[in-house]
């Protein structure tokens, strides 16, 4: 049982499917706003705070990728799940790179969708409830709470996923981490397409670390990664 009404933004241009999903989610205790196109979804998100977004990929008046990018400009915290009839690798990778947390391929069971949603909702609530967490990484300061990575001269604002990944690396600094271990703990599951997304985020973090030569995010081929850095709690 969900402890409070969770607001869901559902964007699905197939209205017969959209109403089926909406009815089932409402029966499960969710509050659902259904949009038939991407532009309407963007407008709804601008006016209301949602706890999770379910986006069809192919929609008129802005596709799901465009909607996800717009949402991420305003919030790094709200989970985004893509509903897609496509199984093409490029679409899944593109979805993750535009800010999606997961995807579910049509046709899917409502039970599967509900379970996926609850995983992300619980995780988001835990992030909100976490106490202040500050780390010193060599000459850099990392605040997980406000998503800031500070050098002696610059301040970088991280996305939530970048911060989640960096926090996990800090907690396991100077130890070998297997790829599947990172994926399960930061993305929630070990998946090929999520793995592609993880590699992109690792590259982003390496760019930040250029400011301190003592910090090295090492790729161990065939195994995973090792975050070689002096790390402490501030």
């Amino acid at each position: 049982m969900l402890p409070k009404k969770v607001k869901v933004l559902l964007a699905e241009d197939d209205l017969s499917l959209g109403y089926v999903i909406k009815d089932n989610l409402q029966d499960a205790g969710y509050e659902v706003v259904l949009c038939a196109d991407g532009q309407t979804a963007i407008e709804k998100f601008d006016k209301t705070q949602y706890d999770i977004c379910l986006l069809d990929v192919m929609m008129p008046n802005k596709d799901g990728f465009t909607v996800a990018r717009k949402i991420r400009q305003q919030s790094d915290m709200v989970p985004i799940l893509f509903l897609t009839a496509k199984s093409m690798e490029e679409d899944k990778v593109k979805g993750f790179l535009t800010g999606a947390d997961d995807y579910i391929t049509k046709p899917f069971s409502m039970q599967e969708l509900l379970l996926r949603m609850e995983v992300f909702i619980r995780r988001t609530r835990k992030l909100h409830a976490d106490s202040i967490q500050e780390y010193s990484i060599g000459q850099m300061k990392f605040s997980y709470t406000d998503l800031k990575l500070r050098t002696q001269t610059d301040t970088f604002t991280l996305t939530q996923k970048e911060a989640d990944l960096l926090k996990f690396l800090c907690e396991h600094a100077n130890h070998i981490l297997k790829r599947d271990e990172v994926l399960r703990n930061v993305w929630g599951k070990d998946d090929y397409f999520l793995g592609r997304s993880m590699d992109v985020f690792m590259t982003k973090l390496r760019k930040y670390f250029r400011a301190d030569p003592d910090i090295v995010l090492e790729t161990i081929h065939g195994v995973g990664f090792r975050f070689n850095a002096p790390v402490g709690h501030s």
Side-chain angles (χ1 to χ4, degrees), residues 31 86 124 202:
E31 181 179 328
K86 294 191 172 184
T124 302
M202 290 289 187

Side-chain angles (χ1 to χ4, degrees), residues 38-222:
Q39 182 59 41
T40 303
I42 292 170
E43 293 169 1
K44 293 289 186 183
F45 189 85
D46 286 341
K47 296 175 182 177
T48 306
Q49 185 174 351
Y50 292 92
D51 297 293
I52 189 166
C53 299
L54 309 178
L55 308 178
D56 185 26
V57 172
M58 300 303 295
M59 292 186 291
N61 303 325
K62 312 287 188 190
D63 61 15
F65 302 129
T66 302
V67 178
R69 280 192 291 267
K70 290 288 186 181
I71 290 172
R72 282 289 171 254
Q73 287 172 9
Q74 298 184 48
S75 171
D76 288 313
M77 188 70 76
V78 61
I80 299 174
L81 274 68
F82 274 129
L83 313 177
T84 174
K86 294 191 172 184
S87 58
M88 292 178 65
E89 174 183 335
E90 311 90 78
D91 290 325
K92 293 175 181 177
V93 173
K94 184 177 179 181
F96 289 125
L97 296 181
T98 55
D101 294 284
D102 204 353
Y103 63 89
I104 185 167
T105 304
K106 303 173 187 176
F108 51 82
S109 71
M110 284 306 306
Q111 182 181 16
E112 180 185 5
L113 177 60
L114 288 166
L115 289 172
R116 297 268 194 103
M117 290 172 62
E118 288 178 17
V119 166
F120 287 106
I121 290 165
R122 283 197 303 269
R123 186 177 305 165
T124 302
R125 285 179 175 160
K126 183 178 183 301
L127 289 173
H128 280 299
D130 276 347
S131 60
I132 294 174
Q133 297 177 71
E134 309 280 340
Y135 300 86
S136 60
I137 310 171
Q139 301 174 22
M140 307 178 83
K141 300 293 183 183
F142 166 46
S143 172
Y144 179 71
T145 307
D146 64 6
L147 307 178
K148 301 293 185 185
L149 181 63
R150 296 176 173 89
T151 70
Q152 294 179 335
T153 56
D154 294 301
T155 298
F156 303 105
T157 299
L158 306 180
T159 66
Q160 185 64 54
K161 192 61 70 179
E162 287 173 337
D164 291 344
L165 177 57
L166 181 52
K167 178 175 180 288
F168 187 73
L169 293 174
C170 287
E171 291 172 345
H172 301 83
N174 306 303
H175 291 86
I176 294 174
L177 293 168
K178 294 182 179 180
R179 286 181 64 87
D180 61 345
E181 183 180 0
V182 180
L183 284 168
R184 284 196 305 271
N185 282 275
V186 179
W187 274 266
K189 64 178 180 178
D190 180 7
D191 177 279
Y192 170 77
F193 302 106
L194 288 173
R196 292 279 301 276
S197 178
M198 178 179 68
D199 291 335
V200 172
F201 279 97
M202 290 289 187
T203 300
K204 289 181 178 179
L205 290 182
R206 287 191 180 99
K207 291 180 180 177
Y208 299 133
F209 299 146
R210 289 173 184 169
D212 187 343
D214 291 332
I215 301 172
V216 178
L217 179 49
E218 178 185 4
T219 295
I220 302 174
H221 293 289

Side-chain angles (χ1 to χ4, degrees), residues 22-39:
K22 180 179 180 179
D23 289 346
N24 278 273
L25 293 181
Q26 288 177 334
D27 288 345
Y30 291 91
E31 181 179 328
V32 185
V33 172
L34 173 61
C35 307
D37 64 84
Q39 182 59 41

